[in-house]
Amino acid sequence: MPTKVAIVGQGYVGLPLAMSATGAGHTVLGIDRDEKLVASLNSGTSFIEDIPDSALAEAIKNGYRASSSFEDISDCSIVVVCVPTPLDEKGSPDNSILVSAVHSISNFIKSDALLIIESTIAPGTMRRVVAPIVVDKLGNKEFDLVFSPERIDPLNKKWNLQNTPKLVAGMNDRALARATEFYSTFVSEVVPGSSVEVIETAKLLENSFRFINISFINEIAIMCNALNINVLDVIEAAATKPYGFMPFYPGSGIGGHCIPVDPIYLASAAREAGSPSRFIELARDINSAMPAHFVGRAVEKLGSLSGKKIIVIGVAYKANVADTRESSSVRIIELLKSAGANVSWHDELVKNWRGEKSSKLSQDFDLAILATPHDNIELDALGSVPLIDTRGAN
Ligand SMILES: NC(=O)c1ccc[n+]([C@@H]2O[C@H](COP(=O)([O-])OP(=O)(O)OC[C@H]3O[C@@H](n4cnc5c(N)ncnc54)[C@H](O)[C@@H]3O)[C@@H](O)[C@H]2O)c1
């Protein structure tokens, strides 16, 4: 049944969710504390590759509106939270944005509304952090609360919000039933979880699986390099096995808002419970050493890097997106600079970054390091400049 929904956080998770919910006939209010973003969304300009301006315009025609005022949620029956859950400067989980958003929501949410958290959280966060804030503010112990993690993979052409099964866990049966009814209006399969703790942990297991396997293939790539064997040929050969093997591909580290961050939420909760995860901690060590590995490869090729002109190609964390969060190119550039190199970067999707503009590819470099291979990068423009391909090609 169409309803009035507020979605708090209009980023990579919240905006696509808002578009899908509007498309299913709900009246959607997108709340974000970034007033510039709110103005841009209301003027029909999307910043997310998966959401063209035409889709946003269509949603606006169908009742979507962005706002930076939490007061506007007071007549919504469902409020979904999609705010960031990052790591702090010490590399530990930082719930403060989530906590602040839940406080702001609790000031205005109706006591019979349904509150859904989609932000990625550590096991126990729903029961120990979110529920007490809401229950305390509203004085309603029966308040309907749900955790439903997002599984969005930006630019994935096959798997999207509609056809990816959606995990849903309620703090009570009524909350679970309400959330299932809501998501079923635009998701093909809603999967009920046995408890919020199980689903909090399942989300972290999914991303830790990827984190650990990427670190493993990065280590294999380093080994193959030492053995003078092409790692991509090795992966292709192994992947002919039709069962029990899943290919992962090497790179310069792990970026983005999820894969390098979420496993730390799990490892940190496990450590607090007295059961540290050696796998996650080892994977973090291997991945964070990848930029230094490629700077070492640069030294092998050039000798001293002092005064050498080096261009890093691709500063986004993943191919074909303009998102630079947690990008391992940052560390590569820092290490090259501290070795005295004269470093430029090229990324026509990112264009402007850290006060600098993307440099053109040309033959005027001593070395190029391909960190993120967007489609349509014209490597030919490098001529005979030596290239280190962090994706395992050499
Ligand atoms: N990006 C992904 O691919 C992805 C996939 C699965 C899960 N997640 C998880 O979803 C959550 C959101 O991630 P994202 O990538 O959409 O983040 P994002 O940074 O793209 O968007 C978050 C938005 O929330 C807004 N915001 C921050 N604090 C706020 C507040 N107090 N009130 C209102 N708005 C606020 C920000 O201005 C921003 O626009 C995180 O927990 C993340 O781990 C992300």
Side-chain angles (χ1 to χ4, degrees):
M1 190 202 315
T3 188
K4 193 154 184 198
V5 184
I7 299 176
V8 178
Q10 289 293 278
Y12 281 87
V13 168
L15 187 62
L17 177 66
M19 298 298 100
S20 294
T22 310
H26 303 290
T27 303
V28 177
L29 178 67
I31 303 271
D32 204 288
R33 68 174 177 188
D34 180 342
E35 291 181 7
K36 262 200 196 147
L37 173 66
V38 165
S40 150
L41 292 173
N42 283 331
S43 73
T45 307
S46 160
F47 63 98
I48 290 186
E49 295 84 2
D50 286 323
I51 309 285
D53 289 352
S54 55
L56 181 56
E58 181 67 17
I60 291 170
K61 215 167 69 194
N62 292 324
Y64 169 78
R65 179 171 73 83
S67 165
S68 46
S69 165
F70 278 86
E71 262 182 83
D72 293 351
I73 66 172
S74 53
D75 62 344
C76 292
S77 312
I78 300 179
V79 178
V80 190
V81 180
C82 306
V83 298
T85 42
L87 301 178
D88 63 19
E89 63 286 348
K90 289 195 198 122
S92 304
D94 179 4
N95 268 339
S96 59
I97 299 173
L98 175 72
V99 167
S100 144
V102 173
H103 272 290
S104 306
I105 290 164
S106 304
N107 287 332
F108 299 104
I109 196 168
K110 292 194 287 190
S111 80
D112 62 351
L114 166 67
L115 178 61
I116 304 175
I117 306 296
E118 286 212 2
S119 299
T120 305
I121 50 179
T125 307
M126 285 300 291
R127 213 173 292 277
R128 292 203 303 262
V129 179
V130 175
I133 299 172
V134 186
V135 168
D136 195 41
K137 274 260 166 67
L138 298 175
N140 175 7
K141 285 205 175 90
E142 303 303 315
F143 187 84
D144 287 347
L145 265 174
V146 155
F147 177 60
S148 180
E150 180 47 60
R151 289 169 153 169
I152 203 160
D153 179 19
L155 284 183
N156 190 323
K157 296 282 174 250
K158 183 172 179 196
W159 297 106
N160 52 42
L161 196 50
Q162 282 71 35
N163 64 6
T164 304
K166 187 96 176 94
L167 290 172
V168 174
M171 298 277 285
N172 61 44
D173 291 345
R174 185 184 55 212
L176 173 62
R178 289 176 74 182
T180 302
E181 186 189 357
F182 168 60
Y183 284 121
S184 298
T185 60
F186 55 92
V187 174
S188 51
E189 191 185 351
V190 177
V191 182
S194 52
S195 72
V196 289
E197 287 77 8
V198 165
I199 301 309
E200 286 168 329
T201 313
K203 165 71 187 174
L204 300 177
L205 169 63
E206 291 167 16
N207 284 358
S208 300
F209 171 83
R210 197 161 165 71
F211 185 69
I212 289 165
N213 277 292
I214 292 171
S215 79
F216 178 51
I217 209 68
N218 278 336
E219 189 175 63
I220 295 281
I222 293 171
M223 285 162 44
C224 283
N225 185 254
L227 293 165
N228 212 11
I229 295 168
N230 184 310
V231 69
L232 296 182
D233 291 347
V234 173
I235 297 168
E236 192 185 332
T240 59
K241 185 179 180 183
Y243 57 90
F245 182 82
M246 183 184 283
F248 285 84
Y249 295 92
S252 57
I254 295 189
H257 206 148
C258 291
I259 308 296
V261 174
D262 300 355
I264 309 308
Y265 274 68
L266 183 55
S268 177
R271 186 172 279 283
E272 265 173 40
S275 176
S277 162
R278 285 181 291 159
F279 265 120
I280 293 173
E281 288 172 11
L282 178 61
R284 169 146 85 167
D285 290 348
I286 292 175
N287 285 317
S288 52
M290 292 311 290
H293 166 73
F294 287 108
V295 173
R297 297 268 313 276
V299 173
E300 276 167 27
K301 280 203 189 280
L302 298 180
S304 164
L305 299 184
S306 182
K308 297 284 166 46
K309 289 180 77 177
I310 300 179
I311 186 154
V312 174
I313 304 171
V315 296
Y317 81 86
K318 127 175 195 172
N320 303 321
V321 300
D323 186 350
T324 57
R325 292 178 300 180
E326 316 286 331
S327 166
S328 49
S329 299
V330 175
R331 189 74 188 128
I332 295 177
I333 291 171
E334 278 170 5
L335 290 171
L336 291 171
K337 281 186 175 165
S338 63
N342 179 353
V343 188
S344 319
W345 58 271
H346 169 83
D347 196 316
E348 289 304 308
L349 287 179
V350 173
K351 292 190 181 85
N352 292 297
W353 183 55
R354 304 180 144 203
E356 291 174 12
K357 280 193 163 50
S358 169
S359 299
K360 289 232 166 326
L361 295 181
S362 74
Q363 304 195 26
D364 188 27
F365 294 100
D366 297 305
L367 180 71
I369 299 180
L370 179 58
T372 306
H374 297 308
D375 292 347
N376 307 323
I377 291 181
E378 289 176 359
L379 291 177
D380 288 352
L382 291 169
S384 58
V385 174
L387 179 78
I388 293 175
D389 184 346
T390 66
R391 301 299 168 128
N394 70 11

